[in-house]
Amino acid sequence: MRIHITSVFVDDQAKAERFYTDVLGFVKKHDIDMGEARWLTVVSPEQPEGTELLLEPDGHPAVKPYKDALVADGIPATAFSVDDVRAESERLRGLGVRFTQEPVDMGPVTTAVFEDTCGNLLQIEQMNQ
Amino acid sequence: MADDVFKALADPTRRKILDELAERGGQTLFELCARLTNRHGLGSSRQAISQHLAVLEEAGLVRTRREGRYKFHDLETEPLERIADRWLKPNGRQS
């Protein structure tokens, strides 16, 4: 068994497509018209055959309270790995991204948490050593 | 009031929370829990930390502020000053 797709609930797929590609630097993998919404996935350019991230519409009534409660406590919807959390944070901040947690050395990892503009928090992390 | 502060300070996890907030203000619950787990090996649940924060807030040692969709925690040192003054400036002695 392998992890093929994971997802985040986004409030607007067009906005999410822009943020996850233009700002985060992922590339679009699948974009299939499903009527009301799109089957929209992105991958890392470093791993084009790797796990896909599905940008899933958040219209279900259970989703908004779930997202709001996570965001209020600063809990990220998912996490991405980077080589240098501090450098990546600087880059993202330069693009106007808002952080709820500055880069912090947590022992085995250094992490930071920021807003995806689509109603979620995302964590970036770097393994130390 | 002073009783609340002494009670809040009596717990080692709550003292660690104050240590971490002294290092950086404006932390979310998530950041605090991650710090306590990774830097102090405290495996408390988020719910437990949330309850500790409520005790600290009740004692006036932590202040929470909502900023848009987020909730941040800050250290409030004023109750500590009052405690110290009790012995350092004995004129204003409290029970």
Side-chain angles (χ1 to χ4, degrees):
Chain A
M1 210 177 287
R2 293 169 294 279
I3 298 176
H4 173 48
I5 290 177
T6 182
S7 62
V8 285
F9 287 112
V10 299
D11 57 13
D12 177 328
Q13 284 188 305
K15 186 174 60 167
E17 182 184 347
R18 286 195 299 276
F19 184 81
Y20 281 79
T21 59
D22 294 350
V23 178
L24 297 187
F26 294 138
V27 292
K28 195 156 73 170
K29 176 107 178 190
H30 292 297
D31 187 357
I32 301 164
D33 188 355
M34 304 277 283
E36 265 182 46
R38 298 143 71 192
W39 181 263
L40 177 64
T41 71
V42 296
V43 288
S44 166
E46 296 165 42
Q47 290 176 310
E49 300 307 316
T51 306
E52 293 174 44
L53 182 69
L54 174 64
L55 304 176
E56 186 162 10
D58 70 357
H60 188 283
V63 177
K64 197 167 180 301
Y66 157 83
K67 283 171 78 174
D68 286 346
L70 291 186
V71 166
D73 283 337
I75 301 170
T78 189
F80 303 122
S81 160
V82 296
D83 293 332
D84 185 335
V85 163
R86 283 185 173 77
E88 186 63 17
S89 300
E90 284 300 306
R91 187 186 78 79
L92 292 173
R93 198 182 307 281
L95 294 170
V97 173
R98 184 197 162 159
F99 281 74
T100 60
Q101 183 204 300
E102 300 304 315
V104 186
D105 186 350
M106 300 280 191
V109 286
T110 301
T111 66
V113 179
F114 59 91
E115 223 176 54
D116 78 345
T117 71
C118 304
N120 303 294
L121 294 174
L122 300 174
Q123 176 166 284
I124 47 175
E125 56 190 39
Q126 145 201 353
M127 299 310 288
N128 296 324
Q129 95 201 328
Chain B
M1 187 66 181
D3 281 350
D4 286 351
V5 177
F6 286 118
K7 192 177 148 225
L9 292 172
D11 182 274
T13 300
R14 292 200 282 269
R15 292 197 297 272
K16 290 280 185 244
I17 290 173
L18 297 181
D19 289 342
E20 293 299 325
L21 288 178
E23 189 176 313
R24 187 173 103 82
Q27 292 190 48
T28 62
L29 177 63
F30 177 75
E31 179 175 356
L32 265 174
C33 290
R35 283 169 174 259
L36 294 169
T37 305
N38 289 305
R39 304 170 121 199
H40 303 286
L42 290 173
S44 307
S45 68
R46 281 186 188 132
Q47 196 185 8
I49 300 303
S50 211
Q51 283 166 359
H52 282 311
L53 281 167
V55 173
L56 290 166
E57 194 175 358
E58 189 72 18
L61 291 164
V62 164
R63 217 181 17 202
T64 58
R65 69 190 142 88
R66 285 201 169 265
E67 230 174 82
R69 305 173 63 212
Y70 307 107
K71 187 176 169 191
F72 296 107
H73 303 82
D74 291 294
L75 175 65
E76 182 59 74
T77 54
E78 197 267 337
L80 299 174
E81 284 163 22
R82 259 183 289 136
I83 284 179
D85 284 351
R86 171 178 176 157
W87 289 284
L88 296 177
K89 299 178 191 164
N91 293 339
R93 208 167 266 169
Q94 301 164 33
S95 61

